[in-house]
């Protein structure tokens, strides 16, 4: 496995093998060790779970760790545009930064969120794809503008851990939040549930659709795995019979980059906050969220502190899923020591 950009680029069988290994590791199996090999972690955005779980996974696998932060006091500002005249804030081009880091580490993990300023730019996922293009080593996506595949891998493991059947009803619901947020998590959640073969329901108010390419891709994955995808704003019908409710807020594509318009658009939607009353309409569903979560904004205390929530197990599974993933990537590297470019994601999103 030559890195990981998004889950949909892998077959369901490959993902199932990773999830099975994650659950073995969770049960105490010993991971392989790759002493003398090195893992790079480069964060352009904040993190609690991803940072801690990748650091711990590196330790379990015997890897040296090179961890760097973007932003003030961290690495130089990195330019991604080809042909840029670099007389602005960015001091270094990804054409140098990526291969230089690739000389120091064997696998490079990058976090670079959507800027939510330009939809055209965010849909190109420029930092992740820049590093994939030029690093010369496998790149793992720790959440990019478009995808959060390590979260989705852990989510799949959590569904298996709780015995939620493959064909069960899975509701991904939009929730209100004071700020417009990226779509990487809902894109990956939808992809994961479709790939797992679930009866997937995307519950969102009008104006909060995910990108048509993501929807089309999820439909095709669902068709291949025997699942389905329905999109609705009818809460009662969505929740009826559900075995899993996954909440997340995301920005509207209609007003992307226009904070005032987005704020106005979501102002009447504050009741999109998951409560016990929502959960009681389900079939004893588990409640999932990638965290961090704003209590009593996205979801009420009564849900997070009640019998439905599995969010802490979900977070723990980041460690096991990423240990399984890195073990697979480093094992594959033993057969093919260097990669040249991973410039072509299997799902190109066009603006
Ligand atoms: N879910 C997740 O990626 O958490 P962090 O942003 O804290 O890493």
């Amino acid at each position: 496995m030559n890195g990981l950009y998004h889950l949909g680029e892998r077959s369901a069988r490959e993902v199932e093998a990773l999830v099975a290994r994650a659950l073995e590791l969770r049960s105490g199996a010993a991971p392989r060790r790759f002493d003398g090999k090195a893992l790079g972690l480069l964060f352009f955005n904040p993190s609690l779970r991803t940072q801690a779980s990748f650091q711990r996974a590196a330790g379990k696998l015997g890897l040296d760790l090179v961890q760097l932060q973007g932003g003030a006091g961290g690495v130089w500002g990195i330019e991604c545009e080809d042909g840029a005249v670099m007389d602005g804030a960015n001091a270094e081009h990804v054409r140098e930064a990526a291969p230089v880091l690739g000389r120091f580490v064997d696998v490079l993990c990058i976090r670079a969120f959507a800027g939510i300023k330009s939809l055209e730019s965010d849909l190109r996922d420029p930092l992740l794809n820049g590093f994939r293009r030029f690093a010369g080593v496998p790149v793992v996506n720790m959440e990019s503008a478009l995808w959060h595949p390590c979260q989705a891998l852990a989510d799949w493991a959590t569904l298996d851990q709780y015995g939620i059947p493959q064909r069960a009803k899975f509701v991904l619901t939009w929730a209100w939040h004071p700020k417009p947020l990226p779509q990487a998590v809902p894109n990956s959640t939808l992809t994961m549930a479709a790939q797992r073969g679930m009866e997937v329901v995307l519950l969102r108010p009008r104006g909060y659709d995910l990108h048509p390419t993501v929807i089309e891709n999820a439909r095709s994955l669902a068709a291949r795995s025997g699942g389905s995808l329905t999109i609705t704003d009818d809460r009662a019908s969505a929740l009826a019979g559900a075995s899993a409710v996954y909440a997340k807020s995301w920005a509207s594509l209609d007003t992307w980059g226009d904070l005032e318009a987005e704020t106005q658009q979501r102002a009447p939607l504050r009741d999109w906050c998951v409560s016990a009353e929502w959960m009681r309409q389900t079939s004893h569903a588990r409640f999932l969220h990638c965290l961090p979560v704003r209590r009593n904004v996205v979801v009420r205390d009564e849900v997070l502190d009640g019998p439905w929530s599995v969010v802490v197990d979900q977070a723990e599974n980041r460690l096991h899923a990423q240990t399984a993933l890195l073990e697979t990537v480093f094992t594959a590297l033993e057969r093919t020591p260097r990669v040249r470019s991973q410039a072509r994601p299997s799902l190109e999103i066009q603006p």
Side-chain angles (χ1 to χ4, degrees), residues 183 204-210 250-255 262 265:
Q183 295 193 346
R204 90 288 173 257
R206 283 174 195 277
Y208 286 88
D209 285 315
L210 298 175
W250 60 86
S252 170
L253 292 172
D254 303 342
T255 52
E262 160 74 26
Q265 182 172 329

Side-chain angles (χ1 to χ4, degrees), residues 47-50 111 148 151 290-291 318:
S47 164
L48 187 153
R49 280 141 291 272
T50 307
R111 166 166 281 198
H148 196 354
Q151 181 67 55
C290 62
L291 305 183
R318 294 291 304 280

Side-chain angles (χ1 to χ4, degrees), residues 133-168:
R133 192 171 165 201
F134 297 115
V137 295
V139 170
V140 171
N141 182 352
M142 299 194 294
E143 188 172 344
S144 70
L146 292 174
W147 307 107
H148 196 354
C150 295
Q151 181 67 55
L153 203 54
D155 296 343
W156 186 320
T158 308
L159 295 171
D160 282 9
Q161 181 192 342
Y162 278 90
I164 295 178
Q166 190 193 347
R167 299 275 179 257

